[in-house]
Amino acid sequence: MNSTQLETDYLVIGTGATATVYRGMWRNQDVAIKVIKEGPEPKTAEDFKQEIQFLCSVRSSHFVYFYGVLLEPRFSLVLEYCPRGSLYDFMQRTDVQ
């Protein structure tokens, strides 16, 4: 995957200890772009590699779809965009019935 294939308005849809997630477009569909904050430190690079290996090994409608990886300009994962947010955020909502 090539960074020129992605479009983003840099809208942050999530953030964590090691990455920030942005909403973007790839091939005319909404995607989530998980950009690793630090790197490539050995621990960060190894965690990134393990996440890629896991995502490549799982193809199920029960998991977020993995489209590809970028190594430049920053380590990034391109994933299925989930309009309701993360599972954690969904479970924390009080209006879910």
Side-chain angles (χ1 to χ4, degrees):
M1 182 172 281
N2 180 321
S3 63
T4 61
Q5 298 173 316
L6 293 171
E7 297 174 29
T8 184
D9 56 7
Y10 298 100
L11 174 66
V12 175
I13 57 175
T15 189
T18 61
T20 301
V21 183
Y22 300 92
R23 185 172 176 178
M25 292 288 289
W26 179 66
R27 295 186 176 176
N28 295 321
Q29 68 183 43
D30 288 326
V31 293
I33 305 166
K34 182 178 181 179
V35 180
I36 307 304
K37 290 180 181 177
E38 301 293 327
E41 294 178 16
K43 171 101 173 88
T44 303
E46 185 59 31
D47 290 347
F48 186 68
K49 181 180 174 184
Q50 288 177 356
E51 187 169 4
I52 292 168
Q53 289 172 335
F54 173 77
L55 290 169
C56 287
S57 70
V58 176
R59 293 285 188 217
S60 168
S61 61
H62 301 289
F63 288 93
V64 171
Y65 192 82
F66 171 66
Y67 292 110
V69 62
L70 298 169
L71 301 177
E72 293 180 354
R74 306 275 305 267
F75 285 175
S76 305
L77 300 174
V78 180
L79 306 161
E80 175 183 6
Y81 173 70
C82 299
R84 292 187 177 180
S86 71
L87 178 59
Y88 177 81
D89 292 340
F90 184 77
M91 298 300 290
Q92 298 301 312
R93 290 179 44 194
T94 59
D95 63 337
V96 177
Q97 301 207 20

